[in-house]
Amino acid sequence: MSDPFKASDNQQTSVSGIARTDIDSADRSPMKPGKRVIRPWLLFSLLVVLVVLLTVRDDLRQNAAASSENAVRYFAFDMLGWSPRDVFVWRLRLAGLVDSPLGQQWTGAVERASEQPLRVGDQYRTSEAFADDQVEAHVYQVALERGEKLIWQLSRLDISGSRFYASLERQESNGQGWSTVTELDADGAIRGRAVSPSGDYRIVLQPELFARVEYSLAIAKGGSLPFPVEAASLRDIGSSFGAPRDGGAREHHGVDIFAKRGTPVRAVIDGHVRTDTGGIGGNHVWLSGGMLGLGGARYYYAHLDSFAIESGDTVNKGEILGYVGNTGNASTTPPHLHFGIYSGGPVDPAPFLKPEPVLPDR
């Protein structure tokens, strides 16, 4: 219900001439003959052993190759923000095909598809195919609020060995261009991502040239946190984020979730807790994730009737922290939990608390 915050001279150290002479003399002192012979042969022997191991041990060779591939993928996708398609464009460029009519058609396929993307809502499922005599891309676009979670299941239905490029991308804040959030694997596993910031996101699918690909795709969006009040839901929120307070002098930096006095309130993440009593929040708890509770978002539970934990405790997600009440400046209102999220400032908790995403049935 309430916000806990309003909103010269340079000096150089030199070595004395005698000391420098001693150091220089030590540097020029001849290395022991044994070290001159042993060190190169030791390094050469280790190199030979490594080469032999990589030659005779398939598992080591595969691990080395996988590590190299992962390093390249991390550099390209995470550091440079490339999409898998960008890597293929570089392959076309090296082959001298990127400026050919066919290369231009392939590189422009996503832009053409983006002119009329398939916009999806809370749930979506489809099965589609790319023909080997056509050059096209498929784009599925969804609007997400900060704190919502997008989950997907992408499966490859054909058995060809052709490359299939799939990525989750976010539209830039200026509305110009898209950046890669993550590469998608077409292995049928269910994966997800809680998003920040709010905006348009899209899943982009495109096969390499002259490839026939069949796939199925399921998408769903919803909240990324469990509801903090037992047996409650969004319909129990009676005062939303940003509502005016004190005649408009300030805004409500959280949501008020109304429930019977004594209803358990639970931890929405694993983390560390700090309890306190008094002030406008009355009995309140700060829940923090990260190492030793440092870094990341902080979650604020206010107006509690009583605590179920002690300050300094480490708690697990779902553990009871306390019980709904109306302590602090909520003494004249029905019992409720004021729940706030702070991450570089107050954040609207409502998108985080939406029902969890569930993929549609086949």
Side-chain angles (χ1 to χ4, degrees), residues 13 27 45 57 99 105 108 171 204 228 314 316 327 330 354:
T13 302
D27 290 341
S45 299
R57 291 281 302 274
D99 293 323
Q105 190 176 3
Q171 189 170 36
V204 179
T314 298
N316 296 320
T327 57
K354 290 181 178 181

Side-chain angles (χ1 to χ4, degrees), residues 1-5 245 250-256 280-281 300 302-303 327-330 336 338-340 342:
M1 174 175 178
S2 304
D3 175 17
F5 298 129
R245 289 289 187 270
R250 61 186 180 88
E251 294 182 344
H252 190 221
H253 287 168
V255 293
D256 290 343
I280 60 177
Y300 179 65
H303 310 314
T327 57
N329 71 346
H336 66 274
H338 171 93
F339 180 71
Y342 292 83

Side-chain angles (χ1 to χ4, degrees), residues 124-334:
Y124 181 78
R125 180 180 288 276
T126 187
S127 294
E128 303 290 343
F130 291 97
D132 55 9
D133 59 350
Q134 296 182 3
V135 180
E136 59 179 346
H138 295 170
V139 175
Y140 301 88
Q141 191 164 314
V142 56
L144 297 170
E145 296 181 86
R146 180 177 183 178
E148 284 191 300
K149 183 177 182 179
L150 181 72
I151 64 172
W152 62 86
Q153 182 182 40
L154 178 62
S155 302
R156 185 85 177 260
L157 304 180
D158 62 279
I159 58 174
S160 68
S162 57
R163 294 181 180 270
F164 184 40
Y165 303 103
S167 59
L168 174 65
E169 302 177 358
R170 179 184 66 245
Q171 189 170 36
E172 300 291 353
S173 57
N174 59 8
Q176 302 296 320
W178 297 77
S179 59
T180 302
V181 176
T182 185
E183 180 186 13
L184 274 59
D185 292 319
D187 56 5
I190 298 176
R191 294 182 172 85
R193 178 70 65 99
V195 304
S196 178
S198 303
D200 283 331
Y201 291 74
R202 69 182 187 181
I203 288 178
V204 179
L205 308 176
Q206 187 178 17
E208 64 182 342
L209 283 169
F210 309 119
R212 174 175 175 78
V213 171
E214 299 178 25
Y215 69 89
S216 67
L217 173 66
I219 305 171
K221 68 175 183 176
S224 59
L225 292 177
F227 214 78
V229 178
E230 186 174 284
S233 63
L234 287 177
R235 67 176 180 272
D236 297 303
I237 294 178
S239 184
S240 59
F241 183 86
R245 289 289 187 270
D246 297 336
R250 61 186 180 88
E251 294 182 344
H252 190 221
H253 287 168
V255 293
D256 290 343
I257 305 169
F258 288 84
K260 292 181 179 180
R261 184 184 305 278
T263 302
V265 300
R266 299 181 180 274
V268 294
I269 61 167
D270 298 339
H272 304 266
V273 293
R274 178 172 61 83
T275 65
D276 203 353
T277 299
I280 60 177
N283 296 330
H284 59 271
V285 174
W286 284 100
L287 170 62
S288 304
M291 184 174 294
L292 301 178
L294 302 177
R298 298 188 301 156
Y299 304 89
Y300 179 65
Y301 299 71
H303 310 314
L304 299 179
D305 190 62
S306 60
F307 302 114
I309 41 81
E310 295 183 358
S311 192
D313 283 351
T314 298
V315 299
N316 296 320
K317 180 179 178 179
E319 187 172 338
I320 296 177
L321 303 181
Y323 304 92
V324 170
N326 62 342
T327 57
N329 71 346
S331 59
T332 60
T333 68

Side-chain angles (χ1 to χ4, degrees), residues 3-27:
D3 175 17
F5 298 129
K6 288 297 181 188
S8 81
D9 293 333
N10 293 329
Q11 297 180 348
Q12 181 176 2
T13 302
S14 61
V15 181
S16 65
I18 295 175
R20 184 175 299 278
T21 301
D22 292 341
I23 294 172
D24 293 344
S25 299
D27 290 341

Side-chain angles (χ1 to χ4, degrees), residues 63-80 82 87 183:
N63 289 338
S67 298
S68 300
E69 182 179 355
N70 289 336
V72 171
R73 289 158 70 95
Y74 173 79
F75 181 77
F77 301 145
D78 295 339
M79 297 190 65
L80 297 181
W82 287 1
V87 176
E183 180 186 13

